[in-house]
Amino acid sequence: MSTVKWATGAAMLTCAGALVACQADPPADPAASAGPSASAPATATVAAPSPSTPPPSTSAGPTDAVLSGSREVAIVRVQSFESGVSLYGQLVEADDDSGRQRFVPTPIGGDKYLIKAYGQPNSHPANDEPSCWQVRNPRTTESLTVEGAVCDTANPGQQFTITASGKGAYAISNESAYLQHSATSGLILEELGDAPLRSTFRFVDNGPARRPAGG
């Protein structure tokens, strides 16, 4: 056992002396080195993970001015020729200026709006008081339609969704029923199912929304 201890001590002295020489003159071939110090140069070149770059913003930008609640618009079905949308007791298309044809889509949260209807700005107080679009359900086999009613933000039947449909056009719906034109019934609300969206609408800016006569 004493021989082993002496040999071990001698080896340690030899290695201690050799360590100084190795630090001053490293071997030409790094691959010939052994132990953790030989692998250090390879691991030092690996970049530490960096925080991921934030994804680009997907915001659609500011709300369209015609949907801001501060502009009066005329609503025209893209697929029609000259007719404009008019609230004349019931929502219809008119070739003249009858009914209420000035609308103010007013945001109430999310993509939902009250659609306020006004008469011609001819200084008649009644024309300056809004009437809001409201779904009329006849609870028969007849189609859903839109009629005018006293504005009520909490009424689901007045909460319309307006979504962009490309090329400056919009789709208008309530729940899952879309405003569509029927050759036999005019403007109605109907669920599409597998059918395509047939009717989209343009909102034509007619200037600042008027202040209602009642304040």
Side-chain angles (χ1 to χ4, degrees):
M1 294 296 291
S2 60
T3 303
V4 173
K5 289 180 179 178
W6 178 87
T8 302
M12 291 176 64
L13 289 172
T14 302
C15 290
L19 181 59
V20 176
C22 290
Q23 290 176 337
D25 188 13
D29 183 8
S33 301
S37 60
S39 60
T43 57
T45 60
V46 179
S50 59
S52 56
T53 303
S57 173
T58 56
S59 173
T63 302
D64 289 348
V66 293
L67 301 180
S68 66
S70 63
R71 311 296 294 179
E72 287 189 12
V73 302
I75 299 179
V76 179
R77 182 166 56 91
V78 173
Q79 295 76 17
S80 69
F81 293 100
E82 298 179 355
S83 301
V85 173
S86 175
L87 187 62
Y88 195 61
Q90 180 175 312
L91 200 67
V92 297
E93 289 181 307
D95 295 328
D96 54 23
D97 61 358
S98 60
R100 292 173 175 250
Q101 299 184 19
R102 301 291 187 95
F103 303 102
V104 179
T106 304
I108 57 175
D111 56 359
K112 296 186 183 300
Y113 299 79
L114 288 185
I115 303 181
K116 299 177 181 179
Y118 293 88
Q120 297 296 327
N122 58 6
S123 301
H124 193 293
N127 287 340
D128 293 335
E129 289 300 327
S131 179
C132 278
W133 290 19
Q134 179 172 292
V135 177
R136 177 182 177 274
N137 186 349
R139 303 193 183 283
T140 64
T141 56
E142 294 180 28
S143 301
L144 301 177
T145 56
V146 177
E147 63 183 3
V150 175
C151 296
D152 180 3
T153 304
N155 186 338
Q158 295 187 17
Q159 298 172 2
F160 286 83
T161 298
I162 301 175
T163 51
S165 187
K167 298 183 179 179
Y170 297 90
I172 303 174
S173 63
N174 179 274
E175 298 296 339
S176 57
Y178 284 79
L179 186 63
Q180 298 282 273
H181 179 266
S182 164
T184 56
S185 303
L187 292 175
I188 61 173
L189 289 162
E190 63 177 356
E191 296 189 0
L192 298 181
D194 295 330
L197 181 66
R198 301 189 311 274
S199 301
T200 54
F201 301 85
R202 288 196 180 94
F203 294 174
V204 182
D205 196 329
N206 273 224
R210 76 192 72 178
R211 183 175 180 177

